[in-house]
Structure formats: structure tokens, C-alpha cells
Amino acid sequence: MSTHVIPAGAPAISVAGLRVAYNDVVALDDVGVTVPLGTICGLIGVNGSGKSTLFKSLMGLAHPSSGAVELFGLSPRQARKLNLVSYVPQSEDVDWTFPVSVRDVVMMGRYGRLGPMRRPHRGDREAVEAALERTGLSHLQQRQIGELSGGQRKRAFVARGIAQDAGLLLLDEPFAGVDKASEAGLITLLKELRHEGKTILISTHDLAGIPQLCDEAILLHQKVLAHGSPAEVLTNDNLALAFGSALIGPSEGVRRGLS
């Protein structure tokens, strides 16, 4: 990560007073969160709670009516231009029939560093090779991306972020449609990246897995209902606010998880 461009002491994510509406529908209302460097943070909420809109805001793709968003003390546009942020989308947001190989997907992480001719240099190829090896995809690098399993597809996009050397990874439902073995491998990889100083924001419905994976959790329902350690956030009272009391039995919410 290009740490020399990051203001000293700046958190990875800083959001204040963020409001985003689509016509008359409010997606986010006065959202404020701060996520420090080197943290894995889980983003929790029902479908339609504003999680995807928050991701779009962090990528600079939403149009807020008020509020401020900074990544490493920079605007989302500046952070993207400096290759500081990488996005792993939901599976349904990707055209898996597109004729591109796994290696090509990972090489996309280097595009912001290529010259005007878009020709990879030795350093770019080495970064891609290292990312493929680290995610266990070297032997599949020539496969068309749609030929991979769900877990392998997720790893390909994480490999893109590794090749990019992004300081912030945004993962939208990375465990959806992934088998348990692939999920365990991905969790191990994410923890390694956190240990190296990367910051990771994960949107997930797997409440039961959050205490083992995440340092922090954010409970979202247009507004931030709770933000803190998983133990502080994943209480039955908080989950009832977000998911409805009918879905939360006594001390069962976190143990079972909700989808």
C-alpha cells in the first residue's frame, strides 16, 4: 500500500452524517462510522438496510445529499485513483459468462499502475503470480472465470485486491454460495491480510461467524444501530431492532445466525 500518501493517524474509513436517497426512498440517513487501520469489520443488516449503498458510497459511486466519506483521509475518488481500495462484489453482480480468464481478473488489480499502453511489466506479472499462489489459484489461472466454483470465484477477486496492494478491501457477501471448506480457507486468508495491516469491511448474514472473524461489527438499518465489538453489537436487543423481535429467540440469535 502506498502509505506515503496517507495522512498520519487517519482511519481506514471515516463516514459522517451520510444521507443517500433514491428518489423518495432513503437508503442511508445520518450514518457515521469510523473503522481504524488493520481491522476486520462486519457489516450486518437485513436486505434493503443500506449495506450495498454504503459500499457504493465508500467507492464514490453513490450520490449523497449530505455528509462526508473519507478513506485513509482522502476522498473515495482519490483513494481509488491511488489504488488504495478494492471491491469484491456479490456473485449476482458479475457477468460470469464474460470471456476473461482468472489471471485476467487478477491482472485487473494492476490496471491503475499500468502505463498508457496498458502493458504489464515484470513487477505487475510478479504481483499477479504471487496473488494467484497465495489464494491457491495458480493451477486455475487460465480457466474462464465462470468455470470456477463459488469459493474459487471469491478468491479470484480477493487475489485481484492482493495484486492491487489495496489497503482497504470491501467484501459484499463473500460467503454466500460458498462451501464450508472454501469459507474456512477464505477466513484464514482474510485474517492473514488483517495481520499485514489491511483493513477489511465485510457485509455478511453469517452472524454466528462474526465473533471468530471480526474485530468490530456495524449493525445497519438506514442508520447505524450499533457499532463496537461483536459482543457489544450482537445482543438480542440490538438484533431485535434490526431483524425484528419475532426472529430472535432467547439467546438464540447469534448462536444460530440469520439469513
Side-chain angles (χ1 to χ4, degrees):
M1 184 171 60
S2 303
T3 54
H4 66 281
V5 303
I6 300 175
I13 298 173
S14 179
V15 178
L18 184 65
R19 179 183 173 87
V20 181
Y22 302 104
N23 297 320
D24 295 329
V25 179
V26 176
L28 297 174
D29 185 21
D30 195 26
V31 167
V33 294
T34 299
V35 179
L37 297 170
T39 299
I40 299 179
C41 183
L43 182 62
I44 314 159
V46 297
N47 292 333
S49 63
K51 301 190 302 295
S52 293
T53 299
L54 181 57
F55 274 128
K56 291 177 182 177
S57 299
L58 296 175
M59 291 294 292
L61 302 177
H63 302 286
S65 56
S66 62
V69 177
E70 290 186 346
L71 307 178
F72 307 106
L74 307 168
S75 71
R77 189 178 72 84
Q78 289 173 312
R80 288 175 61 192
K81 186 176 181 179
L82 292 168
N83 301 297
L84 297 178
V85 56
S86 180
Y87 176 54
V88 179
Q90 292 190 41
S91 293
E92 54 263 35
D93 294 334
V94 179
D95 180 4
W96 299 112
T97 66
F98 194 77
V100 63
S101 70
V102 173
R103 183 182 180 85
D104 291 336
V105 169
V106 179
M107 182 61 76
M108 289 176 186
R110 304 296 299 177
Y111 279 8
R113 304 175 186 274
L114 302 182
M117 299 300 292
R118 296 295 189 192
R119 290 182 178 175
H121 296 287
R122 179 178 177 180
D124 302 307
R125 291 190 291 271
E126 289 177 348
V128 169
E129 292 290 350
L132 286 166
E133 182 175 355
R134 187 166 187 184
T135 52
L137 295 174
S138 295
H139 66 298
L140 300 172
Q141 61 182 287
Q142 299 304 328
R143 292 270 188 95
Q144 190 269 339
I145 186 68
E147 296 176 0
L148 302 188
S149 69
Q152 291 166 343
R153 292 175 181 181
K154 296 294 186 182
R155 278 189 281 144
F157 278 91
V158 172
R160 182 182 67 176
I162 294 173
Q164 181 180 328
D165 196 21
L168 173 63
L169 276 71
L170 307 176
L171 285 75
D172 201 351
E173 298 293 348
F175 306 124
V178 173
D179 62 72
K180 288 299 181 181
S182 296
E183 179 179 325
L186 186 55
I187 287 173
T188 298
L189 176 59
L190 295 178
K191 287 182 175 180
E192 290 175 358
L193 294 172
R194 184 266 311 276
H195 183 70
E196 295 166 11
K198 308 297 186 184
T199 305
I200 303 168
L201 181 64
I202 302 176
S203 170
T204 179
H205 284 99
D206 182 17
L207 304 187
I210 285 177
Q212 289 73 40
L213 172 62
C214 300
D215 307 295
E216 297 183 357
I218 298 169
L219 190 59
L220 188 68
H221 192 87
Q222 280 73 58
K223 297 176 178 289
V224 174
L225 302 180
H227 180 196
S229 70
E232 293 170 327
V233 172
L234 298 177
T235 66
N236 283 344
D237 287 345
N238 285 339
L239 294 176
L241 286 175
F243 295 94
S245 58
L247 296 178
I248 310 294
S251 70
E252 291 184 353
V254 175
R255 179 162 55 83
R256 295 183 318 180
L258 293 172
S259 60

